[in-house]
């Protein structure tokens, strides 16, 4: 293995947030209080004109009936006009529309229709009801000021300017205002403002829920993509760690047999006898990974090929058979640890010894596994030097770092102080969080 190989920085999988932040979703905002005049022209103005037209048509039909004798037909025409104005402007300019209706309608009604006295029919309160509902529904005013202003306008509308003036100065509203009717109309005005406020709150809550639902769907999609990517990475790592180890040993053993074939005719035969079972092991390992892909929906299928610390002696023997003298110091018995920790130790040892076969000209290596203070320490060394013709590509170092990070351990890879190459893995036996350097 080349001594000039730069240390590989920790992969981004250690912090998933830095790898794929996912689509950004804007923070919830308060709904606007009104819409543009252009939008109102397409919705509210036609609605207002349609209601005004139906109101006028109803009046024309009613006027032909001999059974309908209103006190003032002008009051109905005036109420229809202000109803149209209120419906056409309540969203485009909610606050201005409310104050125009709350102030302008009672004043003009009193001057134009009743000469300063109260309204001739309780139905003429409709424009004020629409204005009170619209200003709280659109958020132009809070419910309390809207109720106070609407009730004041209703009292002026019920008593007329003359009656209201006499009531304020003289303290007597009777007979300028029918108290029973005034109470009913006041309740209607208050209800309209309160209902508008409630509907606004419901609309804001619904919009917030829709936005949060969209955020959850986006987050779910991001997590699904991350899960798929992580699973692909895990499978690729398994294929590399399991198959590459066997194949590398087979290639090295075949090359060694070819070099000594002329002076040792039995070497190729012995190599073939060793290569055949090693190849079958590689195929079995690859098939176990492929079965995971083909039986993804089968809960009974194993999720991944697993290997514990008990597989470590077999890894050492395989490398020895490939031609490298491996000195192994393993505790007896092997320490108990979670499957993820055992798998990480075995795969890192496997990758480190495979790198000795492929990248180093050394004919020997040392592997030591020890336990110190609840930490498994794996130390793999070879004296070097690196092979001149060895390839410098591959993902072996990245995979070892991912293994260490997944098990909550630390990994140090690089030239040893006394020469050669060293791989040092330290992982807690309980698999708690660690770091990779």
């Amino acid at each position: 293995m080349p001594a000039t190989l730069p240390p590989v920085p920790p992969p981004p999988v250690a912090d998933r947030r830095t790898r794929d932040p996912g689509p950004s979703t804007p923070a919830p905002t308060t709904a606007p209080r009104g819409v543009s005049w252009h939008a109102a022209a397409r919705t509210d103005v036609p609605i207002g004109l349609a209601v005004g037209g139906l109101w006028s048509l109803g009046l024309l039909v009613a006027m032909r009936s001999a059974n309908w004798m209103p006190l003032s037909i002008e009051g109905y025409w005036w109420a229809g006009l202000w109803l149209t104005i209120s419906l056409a402007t309540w969203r485009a300019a909610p606050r201005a529309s409310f104050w125009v209706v709350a102030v302008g309608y009672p004043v003009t009604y009193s001057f134009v229709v009743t000469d300063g006295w109260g309204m001739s029919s309780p139905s003429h309160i409709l424009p004020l009801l629409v204005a009170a509902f619209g200003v709280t529904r659109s958020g132009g005013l809070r419910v309390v000021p809207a109720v106070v202003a609407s009730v004041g306008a209703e009292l002026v509308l019920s008593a007329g300017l003359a009656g209201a003036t006499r009531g304020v100065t003289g303290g007597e509203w009777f007979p300028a205002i029918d108290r029973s009717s005034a109470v009913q109309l006041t309740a209607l005005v208050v209800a309209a403002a309160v209902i508008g406020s409630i509907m606004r709150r419901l609309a804001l809550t619904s919009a917030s829920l829709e936005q949060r639902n969209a955020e959850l769907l986006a987050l779910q999609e991001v997590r699904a993509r991350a899960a798929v990517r992580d699973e692909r990475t895990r499978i690729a790592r398994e294929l590399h760690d399991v198959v590459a180890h066997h194949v590398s040993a087979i290639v090295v053993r075949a090359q060694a047999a070819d070099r000594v074939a002329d002076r040792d005719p039995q070497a190729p035969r012995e190599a073939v006898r060793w290569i055949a079972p090693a190849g079958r092991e590689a195929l079995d390992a690859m098939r176990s990974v492929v079965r995971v892909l083909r039986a993804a929906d089968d809960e009974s299928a194993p999720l991944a090929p697993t290997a514990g610390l008990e597989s470590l002696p077999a890894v050492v023997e395989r490398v020895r058979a490939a031609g490298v003298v491996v000195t192994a110091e393993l505790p007896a018995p092997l320490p108990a640890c979670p499957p993820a920790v055992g798998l990480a130790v075995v795969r890192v040892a496997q990758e480190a010894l495979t790198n000795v076969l492929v990248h180093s000209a050394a004919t020997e290596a040392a592997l030591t596994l020890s336990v110190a203070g609840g930490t498994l320490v794996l130390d793999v060394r070879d004296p070097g030097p690196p092979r001149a013709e060895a390839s410098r590509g591959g993902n072996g170092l990245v995979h070892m770092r991912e293994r260490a990070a997944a098990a909550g351990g630390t990994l140090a890879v690089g030239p040893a102080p006394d020469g050669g190459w060293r791989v040092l893995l330290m992982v807690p036996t309980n698999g708690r969080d660690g770091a990779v350097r």
Side-chain angles (χ1 to χ4, degrees):
M1 63 186 68
T4 59
L5 188 64
V8 179
V13 294
D15 188 354
R16 196 166 298 164
R17 293 172 297 177
T18 62
R19 186 180 65 177
D20 187 1
S24 59
T25 305
T29 57
T30 304
R33 291 187 174 181
V35 297
S36 64
W37 280 101
H38 178 69
R42 291 183 300 175
T43 54
D44 296 341
V45 171
I47 291 176
L49 293 176
V51 171
L54 291 176
W55 182 276
S56 301
L57 181 61
L59 287 180
L60 293 175
V61 173
M63 289 171 61
R64 294 179 177 272
S65 174
N67 298 324
W68 187 55
M69 294 177 290
L71 294 178
S72 174
I73 190 62
E74 290 82 1
Y76 286 93
W77 289 110
W78 203 245
L81 174 62
W82 281 95
L83 179 62
T84 302
I85 295 174
S86 183
L87 288 172
T89 59
W90 74 274
R91 285 198 306 168
R95 185 175 298 180
S97 174
F98 171 76
W99 287 117
V100 167
V101 174
V103 176
Y105 178 49
V107 173
T108 57
Y109 185 95
S110 183
F111 275 116
V112 174
V113 178
T114 63
D115 292 331
W117 298 100
M119 59 182 176
S120 58
S121 172
S123 63
H124 297 172
I125 200 69
L126 278 176
L128 190 59
L129 295 178
V130 173
F133 172 85
V135 74
T136 55
R137 173 62 180 83
S138 60
L141 284 178
R142 295 184 179 273
V143 64
V144 173
V147 165
V148 172
S150 300
V151 170
E154 178 267 325
L155 291 176
V156 172
L157 189 63
S158 297
L161 285 179
T165 303
R166 188 179 69 178
V168 172
T169 57
E172 294 184 6
W173 286 64
F174 184 83
I177 184 173
D178 184 348
R179 295 179 182 179
S180 176
S181 176
V183 170
Q184 297 177 12
L185 295 178
T186 299
L188 287 176
V189 170
V190 172
V194 172
I195 291 174
S197 178
I198 293 174
M199 292 189 64
R200 173 173 173 78
R201 289 179 179 271
L202 292 176
L204 291 177
T205 302
S206 178
S208 177
L209 291 177
E210 289 180 0
Q211 185 174 9
R212 292 184 181 183
N213 184 60
E215 292 175 355
L216 290 176
L217 291 177
L219 180 60
Q220 184 179 9
E221 183 179 354
V222 170
R223 289 182 175 177
R225 290 200 304 266
V228 171
R229 182 171 54 251
D230 290 344
E231 183 66 11
R232 289 176 177 173
T233 302
R234 185 186 66 82
I235 293 173
R237 186 169 58 239
E238 286 293 339
L239 284 173
H240 176 274
D241 293 348
V242 175
V243 179
H245 170 71
H246 291 80
V247 174
S248 297
I250 291 172
V251 171
V252 171
R253 184 64 183 267
Q255 291 174 340
D258 181 65
R259 284 195 297 268
V260 300
D262 293 338
R263 61 177 182 272
D264 186 3
Q266 287 296 114
R269 185 183 298 273
E270 295 176 358
V272 170
R273 291 173 180 172
W274 180 87
I275 287 173
R280 283 194 294 269
E281 290 181 12
L283 288 175
D284 291 341
M286 183 174 63
R287 289 192 186 103
S288 66
V289 178
V290 173
R291 278 197 298 268
V292 175
L293 298 177
R294 291 184 174 177
D297 297 330
D298 185 3
E299 296 181 356
S300 62
L303 296 180
T306 58
L309 290 181
E310 67 278 359
S311 302
L312 197 54
V315 173
V316 173
E317 290 300 327
R318 194 176 298 112
V319 176
R320 285 173 178 169
V324 176
V325 179
V326 180
T327 302
E329 295 182 10
L330 304 177
L334 292 172
C337 61
V341 174
L343 180 63
V345 172
V346 171
R347 293 295 186 242
V348 170
Q350 183 175 280
E351 182 64 30
L353 294 176
T354 301
N355 285 343
V356 175
L357 286 172
V358 176
H359 297 291
S360 178
T363 58
E364 60 182 21
L367 182 147
T368 303
L369 179 65
S370 60
V371 182
T375 301
L376 277 175
V377 181
L378 174 69
D379 192 354
V380 181
R381 302 189 185 193
D382 73 274
R387 292 180 183 269
E389 72 279 6
S391 172
R392 298 187 180 186
N395 297 313
L397 295 180
V398 175
H399 289 172
M400 285 193 292
R401 293 182 184 277
E402 292 176 348
R403 292 285 186 188
T410 62
L411 180 73
V413 181
D418 54 351
W421 196 261
R422 184 184 187 188
V423 175
L424 180 63
L425 171 68
M426 301 179 66
V427 58
T429 54
N430 56 7
R432 292 178 180 173
D433 292 340
V436 179
R437 68 175 186 270

